[in-house]
Amino acid sequence: MEKSKRKELAYNYAHSHRPMGVYRIVNTLNDKAFVGSSINLDGVWNKHKFMLDIGNHDNKELQADWKAFGEKAFIYEILEQIKPEEDFVAEVTELSKYRKQLPDLESKWLEKLSPYGERGYLKQK
């Protein structure tokens, strides 16, 4: 591939929209859930899977169930996405605007789903 074409593809990728919003990881055997938010929904799932696979996830209860039941017992769902403005540019200043929306959006879903105690992997604040 030509160097200029590679450069163009890299630029386009760096300035493209990645899905942002709230997600949940659900244990299909016991219906326990982990809810979180991210400015990169695809990347955060890859990060969780990697940490769980190597046995080093921050959430010890989720880690224990992953080890006991395996990846096939879990599903990853996107609960709600933030729609970027049409002139979206994936730069730090632009992302900070969307990053500020995530805590409120995540709180809404935490309140709605209550993934605590027997229903989830999170500790209630």
Side-chain angles (χ1 to χ4, degrees), residues 7-122:
K7 220 173 185 178
E8 178 187 349
L9 289 172
Y11 177 85
N12 289 340
Y13 176 77
H15 291 83
S16 65
H17 160 63
R18 286 166 195 74
M20 307 173 272
V22 180
Y23 64 91
R24 113 175 131 164
I25 300 168
V26 180
N27 181 331
T28 60
L29 300 177
N30 62 16
D31 289 326
K32 290 180 102 174
F34 179 94
V35 175
S37 61
S38 177
I39 58 167
N40 184 345
L41 290 170
D42 296 333
V44 78
W45 175 227
N46 289 331
K47 177 186 171 193
H48 280 294
K49 281 197 311 186
F50 176 77
M51 297 306 284
L52 289 162
D53 285 342
I54 66 168
N56 198 26
H57 197 276
D58 291 338
N59 189 298
K60 299 306 175 200
E61 192 176 353
L62 175 60
Q63 181 66 66
D65 280 358
W66 185 273
K67 184 178 180 182
F69 304 124
E71 180 179 348
K72 291 183 179 177
F74 293 84
I75 58 171
Y76 174 75
E77 301 174 318
I78 295 173
L79 298 173
E80 187 171 348
Q81 287 190 44
I82 295 173
K83 303 290 184 215
E85 297 169 2
E86 285 186 34
D87 61 344
F88 178 82
V89 178
E91 294 180 9
V92 174
T93 55
E94 188 74 18
L95 290 176
S96 66
K97 174 172 52 174
Y98 296 107
R99 191 176 277 122
K100 289 176 186 174
Q101 297 176 33
L102 289 174
D104 290 338
L105 197 58
E106 184 176 334
S107 291
K108 176 184 96 172
W109 281 98
L110 288 171
E111 187 176 317
K112 181 176 183 175
L113 299 173
S114 295
Y116 311 108
E118 293 180 12
R119 296 180 55 169
Y121 294 105
L122 300 175

